[in-house]
Amino acid sequence: MKTFCGRANPTTGALDWVEESEEYDYHQEIARSSYADMLHDHDRNKKYYEGIRAAVARVKARSERVIVLDIGTGTGLLSMMAITAGADFCYAVEVFKPMAEAAQCIVEKNGFSDKIKIINKHSTDVTVGPDGDMQVKANVLITELFDTELIGEGALPSYEHAHQNLMQERCEAVPHRATVYAQLVESELLWSWAQLQPVEVEGARLVPPPAVGRCAGAHAVCDIQLSQVSPASFTPLGPVCTMFTVDFSKPVSSAFQAHSSQFVAQSSGRAQAVLSWWDLDMDPTGSIVCTMAPSWTYQEPKMAPWRDHWMQSVYFLPVESQVTEGEELSLMVCHDDYSLWYSLQPRSQRGSQTEAPPSRPCCTCQAHLVWTRPRFGELNDRRRTESYVSALRSVLREDSVCLSVSDGSLLPVFAHMLGAKKVFGLENSQMSKQVIDEVLEANSMKGRVELLEIRPEQLTSNDVGGEQISVLMGEPYFSTSLLPWHSLFFWYCRTALAGLLRPDASILPRSASLHMVAVEFQDLWRIRAPCGTCEGFDVTPMDEMVQRSLDFRESREAEPHPLWEYPCRALTQSTATMTFDFTQCLPQQPISSQGLLSFIREGRCHGVALWMEYHLTDDITVSAGLNGPINEQGDCEWSRHRKQGVYFFGSPWEISGDGRAAVSYSFTFEPSLGDIRMDFSVTSQ
C-alpha cells in the first residue's frame, strides 16, 4: 500500500507531497544502517568469539547446560558462535522485525534452527516459563547493545532488566565488563566547536554574547573518528584516567551515578574538553580486550582496527578554566541511564562527599540549539571569515542596502561593520533571530541590523522600508541542508526576491559549482560492502536484505559524510561538473552536464566524492569540500565544516591508473524538483 507523505524539500524550501510505500521508512533504516560495518569489524568479531568460547567453557566446567541469551542479535552471528562453541541452546532477541527475519534466514541457512530461537521483541518484553518466549532462564548473557558513548542505546536498562528477569543468579556475560577512559585536554580546534570566539573585522572586534560564554553548551555527545584529530591539535593536561567500570556478569543499575578520578596536571593550559573512549573485557581475566582507543594511542597506529559503529567521544566542559602544571585536579563523570557528562574541579575545592554532583549540562543561551558543532567551527574559521569580509568589502558602497539569506549567519553583522547604509537579515526561526539579536546587543549594535522572521517569497517592499536591495548575500548555509546541493535553496530565495533587487544588485556568492573526484576509501567502503561469509558463517541473507533496501531508492542517491573523518585517495583529478549562476534567476528548464574523468592513479575505486564551491566574487572562492590541491599520492584534505556527498559504486573497480579507464558522469538539475539526478559508470577509453 502507498500513502501520500508531506516532506520538506531542503533545496526548494517547499513542502512536497510524495507517494511513498509503507515500507519506505524501514528500507531507509536498513540502507543507512551500519550492519555491514559491524560484520566487517574482524577485531570485534574475533574478540567476541574468543570471549564466547571462554564463557561457554566456564559454564561447562560447572557441569551445567549452557543456555544463552543474546540481546540485540542482529544477524544472529553471536548466537551461532555460541552454539558452535558448545552452547546447548540460544535465545536470540531482536526488536527490529526486518532484521529478526534476516536473522531467522541466516540461522536456518547455517543449520542452527534447532538450537537458536529468534525472538522478535524488545528484551524487556521477553517472558520466561513453560508458555513464555524462553523456557528457562539463561546462564550466559551475550549482548552488543553499545554505542560510541557505551550506554546511549539503553544498555544499562536492558542489562538491569535481564539480570532481574531473564538470567540465572550465577551467570556469565560476554562482554564481561566495560571500562570508560578519559583525558583532559586543551584544544583550540575542539573548543572552536563549542563556543563562539571573538571575530576581527577590519580592525574592529566582534565579541560573542556573554550568555553564550557562560552556557554549558549542548548536552549531546560529540562522537567523531578521534583517530583523525591529530595529537598536534591538542595538549594533554593530564594522563588517561580510568573513570568507571561496569561488570555485566552481575546485576547492573541504570540509576544516576557519579565517579571521579584524581590526578596531577602534567601541563599548564586551558581545560576545555575531555577525550573519552571505552574498552570491553570479554572475559574476567581481562586477557581478551576489544578497545575503542584512537589510533594515536597505539605504538603502531596503522595496527588500530577501524570501525564506524563505535567511535570516540569529545565532551566539552561547562566552562573553560585555567590549570597549572603540578596542580591536583579531580575529573568527575556522571551518567544517567543513557548519557555521560564531565566536570572538573581543583582537589582543594572539592566539597564533602554529600555535595550534589553537577547536573547534566543543557543549553541556556539557545546558540547551541541553533548552531551545530560543525557550524560553530565554521563561524570560528578565521580564513573563511576573511574571505567573506573581503568579498563584502569589494561590493559594498556607502548607500548599500543589504539583505542576508542564511540561517544564523554573521554576514549581516559584518555588512553593518563594513559601513552598509542599511542591513536586513532573513532568519528561519525565532530562536536563530534571537541569537543574532544577542550578538548585535553584545556589540552595541542593537537596532543597526533588522532581522526578519519571514520566508523570502513573503517578503514585501514594506518589510524593507520601501528600499531596493543592492547587495543580496548568503554563505549560503541552511540548517535543513544535508547534501551539498541543498544549499541551492539560496538560488530559489534569490529568484523569489528578484522584484526587490536593484537592476545592478550584487549577488554574493555570484555562483556555485558542483565538484567531483573519484576516490579510493581507506575504510569507509566497509559500510556498503557485502559481507558474504563472516567468521565462517554465511550471512548473505543480510547482504540481500541491505541490497533490496538500497535498490528501493538509496543506491541511486548520494549520501552525506564528513570526509575529513574518512581518509581517501583521489584516483582522478577533481573537476567542476556543473555551475549555477546566482546572478540570474532560477531557470525553468533542467540543467544537464556529462563527461569523462580519466583515472590517473592506480587503486580500487569505491565511488565518487561530491561537494560545492561558492564563488563569492570573480577572485574569491570558498570550498565546502577540498581545502587545497590534491597531492601527488592522491591524499585529500577536506573541510571540517560541511558534509560532502558520497556516491558508492555497487562494487569497487580495480583501476590501473594508466589513463585507459575513466569515470563517465551525468548530472541533471531539475529546478522544479530541487534535486540533482546523477549517474556514474567506469568505462574504457
Side-chain angles (χ1 to χ4, degrees), residues 45-90:
N45 300 340
K46 177 186 174 186
K47 302 293 174 55
Y48 259 99
Y49 212 165
E50 291 175 1
I52 288 168
R53 288 194 192 100
V56 170
R58 290 194 298 274
V59 175
K60 282 186 170 293
R62 302 198 295 258
S63 301
E64 298 177 23
R65 289 186 76 239
V66 180
I67 307 299
V68 175
L69 173 61
D70 176 7
I71 300 179
T73 193
T75 59
L77 176 67
L78 303 183
S79 294
M80 294 188 294
M81 288 179 175
I83 298 302
T84 304
D88 295 283
F89 197 82
C90 182

Side-chain angles (χ1 to χ4, degrees), residues 647-668:
Y647 185 103
F648 288 100
F649 291 138
S651 56
W653 292 86
E654 298 291 343
I655 304 300
S656 62
D658 57 7
R660 295 181 183 177
V663 177
S664 171
Y665 63 85
S666 172
F667 294 92
T668 301

Side-chain angles (χ1 to χ4, degrees), residues 39 75 77 80 106 110 531-534 537-543:
L39 294 180
T75 59
L77 176 67
M80 294 188 294
I106 291 170
N110 287 274
C531 299
T533 299
C534 180
F537 302 99
D538 186 342
V539 294
T540 52
M542 190 219 67
D543 293 336

Side-chain angles (χ1 to χ4, degrees), residues 361-376:
C362 64
C363 177
T364 55
C365 72
Q366 300 198 85
H368 299 90
L369 305 178
V370 169
W371 295 325
T372 63
R373 292 187 175 105
R375 179 62 171 159
F376 267 100

